[in-house]
Amino acid sequence: MHKTRDSFGSKFGAIAALAGSAVGLGNIWKFPYEAGNNGGGAFLIIYIFFTLAIGLPIMLSEFALGRRGQQNAFGTFKTLAPGSKWYLFGLLSIIAAAFILSFYGTVSGWTLEYVWLAISGAFHHQTAEGIHDTFNTFISHPYKAVIWQVSFMVITGAIIVAGVKKGIERYTKMMMPVLFVIVILLGIRASTLPGAGEGLKFLFYPDFSKLTGQSVLSALGQAFFSLSLGMGVLLTYASYIRKTENLAHISLQVITTDTLVAILSGIAILPAVFSFGIDPQAGPGLVFLTLPQVFQSMPLGYFWAILFFILLTFAALTSAISLMEVVVAYLVEEKKMSRLKATITTTSGIGLLGIFCTLSFGPLQNIRFFGLSIFDTFDFVSSNILLPLGGILICIFAGWRLDKSILCDEISNEGRLKFKFFRLYAFILKYVAPICIFVILLNSMGILK
Ligand code: TRP
């Protein structure tokens, strides 16, 4: 089994890949809008608290499990808990990753179309209505959105097939620094627009009166999605981290990058939205419906629009790669497929599932499950049920099932590193985190309001 397993060649490569997974559509459109809806600065404070207090320990546990297991998510649980049914959890996370990637591919396909629209100058001299029409016609088109979605999956597959070092690491190392520069440029541009102060106030002023129980839970859910927790993604990537790297440091770096990009996206998007008098609560449509409008009425907007949609595409791509790798690693290691065959199988399978998601904005919009479209069902089931469930199971496995000494060994690199916070970490993992997540899970299923 362990011939020579592919791995990340450098610390920077590992961080680029992991941060690439974490930084995604969740940071760029979801975060600014969630923060806006839930009390701005107050949401931000709670979000950061959850990220550090719950996200960090769970991320570190996924890293420890993955690097100890040296395998895909399924194999890792089989090895670490032999003779038990824990491998089913590994399997569940692989299926969940495939589900997330299916609907993620739909929105990622839109970002490709928007790069193209931006380059071809389609937003120039458009009215708000024109921009709405462009979006609605596009997403409900019988095949245009499908072509972009499938193209996106093929690009993802092309990077994956090249392997961990020569594919994932190589491309995330190129895309992540570019992404960082673009988001900083956009942030500077947006915060110097006339009237931008209101947007910044919206994001940073802590209005605790707007904070409800629901928004506290949204902050936790957002932290989970944004950090790519609980779906075997971090676990699989961690199996490629060298034994000499400090896992605690890496998790801190990934978390800092993810949070920084979320805040920078808020700075880039909200001031622009306010400066042009657009409703910040437009939600998912914000990026595609209102930003083209913002850009076209901005000096050099043509250029900013292209930059922005490239940013969005890179963010989506580096996250999609991480989701696809979970499935491919499983097929290669457990089903003994070649990497090429595994990638083709995964790309076609998820591409096909994704087509249903994409078409559910057009020809298939009448197919509903409990009132939700196919896209919304995929999103709901994976984000609101499978994700928190995955998080809880990680806590139970790492906190209760696994021998403490194994965790301690892995995090301290067999005792070579000092990890002063081990007791605090173990306490959060056993009690605080699972209870908090349990509450979110009940809430998102509507059992606890
Ligand atoms: N974290 C990514 C984002 O913010 C999405 C993502 C990638 C993800 N891998 C994941 C979400 C695994 C949940 C689980 O867009």
Side-chain angles (χ1 to χ4, degrees):
M1 156 108 246
H2 307 284
K3 313 169 246 172
T4 34
R5 229 170 152 264
D6 205 355
S7 68
F8 295 127
S10 65
K11 184 175 186 192
F12 176 68
I15 292 174
L18 287 159
S21 170
V23 173
L25 298 171
N27 301 58
I28 300 171
W29 62 252
K30 202 159 178 236
F31 176 80
Y33 140 82
E34 287 268 2
N37 266 351
N38 292 296
F43 178 88
L44 191 62
I45 291 171
I46 293 181
Y47 173 81
I48 292 175
F49 173 76
F50 281 149
T51 297
L52 290 175
I54 296 178
L56 186 58
I58 296 184
M59 182 179 282
L60 185 55
S61 311
E62 274 201 51
F63 283 179
L65 296 179
R67 196 173 66 171
R68 169 63 59 151
Q70 286 294 302
Q71 285 163 72
N72 62 90
F74 174 91
T76 287
F77 285 103
K78 227 168 179 158
T79 307
L80 296 182
S84 74
K85 293 264 180 264
W86 274 99
Y87 68 88
L88 289 175
F89 171 44
L91 209 55
L92 174 84
S93 50
I94 293 161
I95 295 170
F99 264 80
I100 294 186
L101 187 52
S102 307
F103 75 84
Y104 212 77
T106 298
V107 183
S108 306
W110 298 351
T111 67
L112 283 182
E113 160 82 359
Y114 271 65
V115 172
W116 170 244
L117 285 178
I119 291 174
S120 59
F123 309 128
H124 215 58
H125 299 306
Q126 277 268 29
T127 57
E129 260 158 40
I131 285 168
H132 273 248
D133 280 351
T134 306
F135 182 68
N136 291 326
T137 313
F138 167 64
I139 63 169
S140 57
H141 192 276
Y143 58 81
K144 236 176 161 182
V146 169
I147 292 178
W148 284 118
Q149 176 232 329
V150 171
S151 313
F152 180 84
M153 295 310 299
V154 170
I155 298 172
T156 310
I159 295 177
I160 285 290
V161 80
V164 175
K165 205 179 277 125
K166 297 211 176 86
I168 301 174
E169 179 173 356
R170 180 161 162 221
Y171 291 98
T172 49
K173 252 162 72 178
M174 296 196 292
M175 281 187 273
M176 290 310 286
V178 177
L179 181 150
F180 219 71
V181 172
I182 296 180
V183 80
I184 290 173
L185 280 179
L186 282 165
I188 295 174
R189 167 71 266 216
S191 48
T192 50
L193 283 172
E198 209 185 328
L200 292 177
K201 193 175 151 212
F202 188 67
L203 178 62
F204 290 112
Y205 180 74
D207 183 356
F208 282 99
S209 70
K210 275 204 207 143
L211 208 61
T212 59
Q214 181 63 48
S215 42
V216 172
L217 296 171
S218 302
L220 192 53
Q222 171 64 17
F224 257 73
F225 189 84
S226 190
L227 297 174
S228 305
L229 294 178
M231 289 295 100
V233 166
L234 299 176
L235 195 144
T236 304
Y237 267 13
S239 71
Y240 305 131
I241 300 178
R242 292 184 301 201
K243 285 281 187 190
T244 45
E245 308 292 6
N246 185 332
L247 294 180
H249 282 179
I250 293 186
S251 43
L252 208 57
Q253 274 155 328
V254 171
I255 283 193
T256 312
T257 311
D258 188 68
T259 309
L260 219 57
V261 174
I263 295 174
L264 280 168
S265 307
I267 295 177
I269 292 167
L270 291 170
V273 164
F274 272 86
S275 162
F276 291 91
I278 290 162
D279 179 12
Q281 304 190 346
L286 192 69
V287 165
F288 298 101
L289 293 172
T290 59
L291 281 179
Q293 202 180 324
V294 170
F295 292 131
Q296 69 112 5
S297 31
M298 208 182 205
L300 290 179
Y302 173 76
F303 165 74
W304 293 111
I306 296 175
L307 267 191
F308 179 77
F309 287 108
I310 289 180
L311 164 76
L312 207 58
T313 302
F314 278 7
L317 190 56
T318 52
S319 297
I321 292 171
S322 72
L323 287 159
M324 190 182 277
E325 177 62 19
V326 174
V327 186
V328 169
Y330 166 74
L331 293 178
V332 169
E333 290 170 1
E334 302 300 326
K335 302 289 168 202
K336 309 291 174 230
M337 286 185 191
S338 67
R339 196 161 171 95
L340 178 65
K341 190 173 170 204
T343 308
I344 293 176
T345 309
T346 310
T347 307
S348 345
I350 295 178
L352 199 68
L353 261 184
I355 290 178
F356 289 101
C357 295
T358 304
L359 290 180
S360 73
F361 288 92
L364 302 182
Q365 63 185 321
N366 291 325
I367 300 182
R368 304 260 150 183
F369 303 93
F370 302 100
L372 296 178
S373 68
I374 301 175
F375 179 93
D376 290 336
T377 308
F378 273 50
D379 183 7
F380 181 85
V381 172
S382 27
S383 312
N384 294 351
I385 299 173
L386 299 175
L387 214 61
L389 194 66
I392 285 202
L393 289 171
I394 290 281
C395 293
I396 297 177
F397 186 80
W400 296 87
R401 173 70 169 79
L402 197 70
D403 201 50
K404 245 199 197 128
S405 62
I406 293 185
L407 265 188
C408 197
D409 269 4
E410 201 54 48
I411 294 172
S412 67
N413 293 358
E414 316 291 330
R416 281 189 295 276
L417 303 171
K418 277 212 165 53
F419 183 54
K420 278 181 281 185
F421 304 103
F422 191 78
R423 289 176 66 166
L424 175 66
Y425 157 74
F427 177 75
I428 294 179
L429 203 59
K430 281 180 100 145
Y431 305 101
V432 184
I435 293 172
C436 278
I437 304 164
F438 191 59
V439 175
I440 312 187
L441 193 60
L442 291 185
N443 175 270
S444 62
M445 296 193 312
I447 296 169
L448 191 92
K449 290 264 185 225

